[in-house]
């Protein structure tokens, strides 16, 4: 389960999607999410499904990688589906004991599930096709206007990229520490909630210590390599829009245009 | 007690693009009281293999018998197996978490469900075994030096009174002093009759201490013999990224230079004797 | 450089004699890339209320001069002060007493810091904890980015440094997925790309397997020979030291031995006392000598041992035939 978290895991391959400017991909993800929340129009969802399928094929990322991210939030999806399913008022279509399902409830639950699933798939696709550094570069440049109101955009972006880089390492580390404590007879699987929470202490303490040690080492390694913030810093791979990026923006505008008009017309 | 490993295979992340056949038909018998060296380059399957012996990994196919009992049989007490086969991971000091050294060493026995008194007795015994000065017992483990921390972590596993002790590169990252301290602990332990399996990258260390060497390469148990017999294959070992102890090469060079010395010598002591004999 | 400091500092020199003294000293020693003079560094441990509990001297009055272009090894077991010394060379810590100059720049002067770090690049022990980026080429480009190298030149430097360490084929790989030895080579390339005069390596091989260790040491010798980069290798593996130009041994913060590898390895007993290893050839020769064979001290290679044994055999044969 702990290995199912796909966020921050880049899938290396050559595809059109990989080569797009991260700002386009960020904007694209945002537009895709907006389109999902426009309303509960089946036509919009058909367009969204087609768009998502097209993007996944174009990205050359194996489908199982994209759905892997879903496993981690399966419970969240189920809970929100259940809430919508059982607690939405409307015409009752099914009733057992105190549980009632209404037509509206069924509809919102289905849309809710699709929304969440698409949302995760869409953002997984973005992180799988964009290196964390590229992603934060995109954020840094895309939000660079915030500099003028004294938001430390560069520093935030740097922190994000380092955090993203360390996620897989800390996941591996957690796994290792768990095994080491299991070898000392620790039991994480049985017992009630409090007992299980207590059983986490032997994992969390070493994990925090290791995270701090790594942070300390990394800070020193960065300083040793002359890192001193954004002041006077150049970029090896500065973001520049190319033709395909402008084309992608055009497609995005077209896409959201279609979605909005479908929503208004039907 | 003995461990019989019968044709185990382990396939890592089956069905994904990361699929890897990490162990291929590995079979061996480990008898009580043996001191075994397990060598192989990084990624050869050593670490995967040792995690099978205490049930942290489950073989995709094949069987492991501990004391004649199949550990994969339904209802087999894995927790008990883990206390009988103690596993000291690489950089074990990273698993320390308690506020005092003493408490940390008690963690294992406590998980075994022993009484407080018994836990403390065992912690005391095992800290003694690893030769840590008593004045440190109630200090924080995080104030110790690297070598001391590692010995505390080993004590944490010893406190469970295992019959087999497996150590994954216990000297990695330590200086010569720290390494010597670990080996003197292991030599003391061997006298107690415990079975020791030592994973190591140092051929010199293995040659000086163990009775038997297992060589892993690409998931296959390539050699399983006495150190002398294994290091006789130094050419084949080089092909798989390993080597014989340096002194063996020195002896081979001497032989080529016309000195009739014993090329089977794997320790300085043996080499010295052999040279003195011919001069 | 020196003139630059002089202009900047002129006013202060007038009022502060100590600084002018420093500058004169600097010019006297301008041949040396690294110079530590009476260097002392103290760790102050405080208890929970902030009172001083103990003062540990991590470095105790150390004087070291390192010539440009040398391959220098600093030996000592953990806690001997060798890592703290390395950090001084990168201005990551400041001396409690005494001073350190890197390429004639005093590490105490704050405005030198960036230039010092660029001149004396540093590689650390844990390969995982010094990787910042997710692609090898970006990782190598990180240093040059920080010092404001223009884009095109960064690419040139990245290519050149990756080729120098033999990692160019991996430029698009994820550095965390590489082997330990490869990670350290990438880390070295990351430093080389900043065009340093000197590379300080703090136990770069301690966490590697023997093959990785070999890779790293080979790369260092190559850089030293081909690019004339001064290498300061902090280690406790004696085998890595044999080919060094100069060896320093530290113990409990003090410099206890200094010399050519042969001089150092001639003193097997002293090294053992310091709890350090000697290469197996040297130890074997030393053991044979203890048994009464007339072998000279400080044998570093098998070839030397063979020569000595042949000489002894020759002598014996002569004696026997008499």
């Amino acid at each position: 389960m702990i290995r199912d978290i796909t966020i921050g895991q880049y899938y290396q391959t050559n595809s059109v999607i990989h080569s797009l400017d991260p700002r386009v991909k960020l904007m694209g993800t945002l537009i895709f999410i907006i389109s999902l929340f426009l309303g509960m129009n089946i036509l919009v969802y058909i367009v969204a499904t087609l768009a998502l399928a097209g993007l996944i094929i174009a990205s050359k990322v194996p489908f199982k990688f994209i759905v892997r991210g879903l496993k981690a939030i399966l419970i969240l999806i189920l809970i929100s589906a259940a809430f919508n399913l059982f607690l939405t008022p409307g015409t009752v279509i099914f009733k057992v004991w105190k549980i009632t399902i209404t037509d509206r409830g069924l509809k919102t639950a289905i849309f809710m599930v699709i929304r969440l699933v698409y949302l995760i798939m869409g953002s997984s696709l973005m992180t799988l096709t964009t290196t964390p550094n590229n992603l934060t570069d995109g954020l840094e440049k895309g939000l660079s206007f915030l500099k003028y109101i004294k938001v430390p955009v560069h520093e935030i972006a740097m922190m994000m990229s380092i955090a993203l880089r360390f996620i897989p390492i800390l996941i591996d580390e957690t796994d290792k520490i768990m095994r080491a404590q299991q070898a000392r007879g620790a039991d994480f699987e049985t017992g009630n909630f409090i007992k299980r929470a207590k059983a986490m202490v032997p994992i969390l303490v070493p994990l925090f210590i290791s995270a701090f040690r790594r942070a300390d080492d990394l800070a020193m390694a960065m300083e040793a390599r002359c890192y001193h913030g954004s002041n006077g810093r150049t970029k090896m791979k500065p973001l520049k829009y190319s033709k395909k990026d402008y084309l992608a923006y055009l497609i995005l505008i077209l896409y959201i245009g279609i979605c909005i008009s479908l929503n208004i017309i039907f | 007690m003995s461990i019989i490993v019968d044709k185990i295979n382990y396939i890592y992340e089956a069905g994904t693009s990361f699929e890897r056949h990490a162990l291929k038909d590995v079979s061996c018998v480990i008898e009580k009281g043996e001191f075994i060296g397990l060598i192989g380059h990084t990624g050869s399957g050593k670490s995967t293999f040792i995690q099978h012996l205490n049930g942290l990994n489950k073989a995709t196919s094949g069987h492991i018998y501990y004391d004649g009992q199949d550990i994969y049989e339904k209802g087999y007490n894995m927790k008990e197996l883990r206390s009988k086969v103690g596993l000291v991971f690489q950089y074990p000091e990273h698993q320390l978490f308690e506020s005092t050294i003493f408490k940390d060493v008690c963690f294992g026995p406590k998980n075994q469900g022993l009484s407080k008194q018994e836990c403390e007795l065992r912690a005391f015994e095992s800290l003694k075994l690893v030769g840590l000065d008593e004045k440190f017992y109630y200090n924080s483990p995080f104030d110790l030096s690297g070598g001391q921390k590692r010995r505390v972590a080993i004590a944490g596993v010893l406190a469970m009174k295992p019959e087999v002790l497996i150590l994954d590169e216990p000297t990695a990252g330590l200086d010569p002093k720290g390494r010597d301290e670990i080996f003197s602990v292991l030599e003391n332990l061997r006298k107690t009759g415990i079975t020791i399996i030592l994973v190591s990258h140092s051929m010199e260390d293995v040659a000086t201490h163990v009775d038997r060497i297992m060589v892993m390469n690409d998931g296959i148990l390539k050699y399983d013999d006495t150190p002398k017999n294994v290091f006789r294959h130094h050419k084949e070992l080089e092909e798989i990224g390993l080597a014989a102890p340096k002194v063996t090469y020195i002896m081979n060079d001497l032989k080529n230079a016309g000195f009739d010395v014993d090329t089977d010598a794997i320790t300085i002591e043996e080499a010295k004797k052999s040279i003195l004999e011919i001069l | 450089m020196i003139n630059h400091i002089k202009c900047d500092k002129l006013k202060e020199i007038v009022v502060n004699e100590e600084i002018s003294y420093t500058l004169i000293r600097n010019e006297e020693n301008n041949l040396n890339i690294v110079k530590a003079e009476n260097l002392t560094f103290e760790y102050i441990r405080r208890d929970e209320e902030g009172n001083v509990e103990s003062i540990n001297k991590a470095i105790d009055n150390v004087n070291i001069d390192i010539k440009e272009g040398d391959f220098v090894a600093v030996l000592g077991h953990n806690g001997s002060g060798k890592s703290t010394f390395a950090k001084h060379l990168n201005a990551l810590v400041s001396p409690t007493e005494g001073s350190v100059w890197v390429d004639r720049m005093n590490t105490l002067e704050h405005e030198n810091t960036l230039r010092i770090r660029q001149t004396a690049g540093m590689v650390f022990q844990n390969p995982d904890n010094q990787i910042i980026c997710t692609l090898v080429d970006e990782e190598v480009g990180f240093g040059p980015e920080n010092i404001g190298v223009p884009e095109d030149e960064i690419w040139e430097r990245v290519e050149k440094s990756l080729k120098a360490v033999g990692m160019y084929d991996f430029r698009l790989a994820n550095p965390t997925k590489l082997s330990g030895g490869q990670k350290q080579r990438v880390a070295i390339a990351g430093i080389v790309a900043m065009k340093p005069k000197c590379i300080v390596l703090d136990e770069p091989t301690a966490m590697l397997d023997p093959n990785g260790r070999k890779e790293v040491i080979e790369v260092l010798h190559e850089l030293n020979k081909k690019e004339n980069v001064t290498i300061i290798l902090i280690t406790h593996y004696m085998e890595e030291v044999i080919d060094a130009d100069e060896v320093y041994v530290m113990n409990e913060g003090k410099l206890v031995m200094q010399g050519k590898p042969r001089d150092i390895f001639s003193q097997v007993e002293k090294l053992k006392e310091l709890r350090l290893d000697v290469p197996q050839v040297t130890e074997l020769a030393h053991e044979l000598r203890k048994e009464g064979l007339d072998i000279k001290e400080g044998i570093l290679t098998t070839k030397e041992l063979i020569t000595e044994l042949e000489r002894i055999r020759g002598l014996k044969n002569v004696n026997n035939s008499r």
Side-chain angles (χ1 to χ4, degrees), chain C residues 53-320:
Chain C
E53 218 172 49
S54 65
I55 297 175
N56 294 337
K57 278 196 177 169
I59 301 181
D60 191 357
N61 200 22
V62 164
N63 290 288
I64 287 183
D65 268 285
I66 292 169
K67 276 209 285 296
E68 192 160 358
D70 266 6
F71 191 112
V72 172
V74 181
L75 286 169
H77 59 73
N78 294 344
S80 62
K82 59 189 196 307
S83 291
T84 315
F85 173 69
K87 281 174 196 154
H88 276 92
L89 305 187
N90 208 262
L92 289 169
V93 286
S94 307
T96 314
E97 276 168 49
S99 9
V100 177
W101 287 276
V102 175
D103 200 23
R104 285 167 273 154
M105 292 173 280
N106 191 331
T107 59
L108 270 176
E109 282 159 31
H110 202 63
E111 61 273 23
N112 288 339
T113 303
L114 280 185
R115 216 183 272 256
I116 286 171
R117 287 181 183 158
Q118 192 185 333
T119 311
M122 184 137 174
V123 176
F124 297 87
Q125 182 186 49
N126 190 331
D128 287 314
N129 295 359
Q130 51 182 319
I131 297 171
I132 297 139
C133 308
T134 40
L135 284 177
V136 167
D137 62 354
E138 289 174 7
E139 178 65 26
V140 177
F142 181 76
E145 283 182 338
N146 289 333
I147 52 177
V149 176
E151 189 191 337
D152 295 339
E153 204 191 324
I154 296 181
W155 283 94
E156 270 168 42
R157 287 191 185 196
V158 168
E159 186 182 330
K160 204 170 156 248
S161 6
L162 277 174
K163 280 181 177 161
V165 300
M167 289 296 292
Y168 187 64
D169 292 342
F170 293 88
R171 65 190 178 281
L172 292 178
N174 180 341
T176 52
K177 296 271 190 311
L178 300 173
S179 77
Q182 289 172 329
K183 281 179 197 166
Q184 287 301 55
R185 274 150 68 196
V186 170
I188 293 169
I191 298 299
V192 171
M194 292 165 74
K195 295 201 173 163
K197 289 187 179 172
C198 169
I199 303 180
V200 185
L201 303 102
D202 187 6
E203 297 193 46
T205 58
M207 298 179 83
L208 307 184
D209 63 10
N211 297 327
R213 222 176 280 159
K214 223 164 46 191
E215 284 169 30
V216 169
I217 298 300
E218 273 166 18
V219 161
L220 292 180
H221 277 290
E222 210 154 289
L223 285 172
N224 178 243
K225 276 186 205 118
K226 284 192 185 151
E227 320 273 333
N228 199 35
V229 181
T230 312
I231 304 285
I232 301 175
L233 174 66
I234 317 271
T235 185
H236 52 239
Y237 289 108
M238 290 302 213
E239 255 94 16
E240 296 171 356
V241 170
I242 297 175
D243 299 318
D245 295 308
E246 190 80 12
V247 179
Y248 295 89
V249 182
M250 288 185 73
N251 191 44
E252 286 172 4
K254 290 197 176 75
L255 195 60
V256 286
M257 288 166 94
Q258 176 189 347
K260 300 265 171 274
R262 195 176 301 282
D263 306 331
I264 301 286
F265 288 124
S266 311
Q267 308 175 50
V268 176
E269 294 302 324
K270 187 160 183 197
L271 287 170
K272 290 209 159 165
E273 216 174 276
L274 296 168
R275 303 293 294 263
L276 289 167
D277 277 342
V278 287
Q280 284 204 315
V281 194
T282 315
E283 189 169 358
L284 180 60
H286 178 73
E287 288 292 320
L288 289 169
R289 191 183 145 88
K290 271 208 297 203
E291 294 291 332
L293 288 189
D294 178 31
I295 294 179
K296 68 175 182 194
E297 282 281 14
I299 296 281
L300 291 179
T301 63
T302 312
K303 222 171 138 192
E304 289 170 23
L305 181 67
I306 291 174
T307 317
E308 284 292 289
L309 288 179
E310 272 169 348
R311 186 176 56 78
I312 291 165
R313 184 166 63 177
L315 281 176
K316 279 224 169 121
N317 288 343
V318 171
N319 285 339
N320 286 348

Side-chain angles (χ1 to χ4, degrees), chain A residues 151-171:
Chain A
V151 178
V153 183
H154 168 80
E155 282 72 14
I156 292 170
M158 184 54 95
M159 276 193 266
M160 267 186 57
S161 88
I162 288 169
L164 283 173
R165 194 189 85 66
F166 271 87
I167 286 173
I169 286 189
L170 288 177
I171 289 172

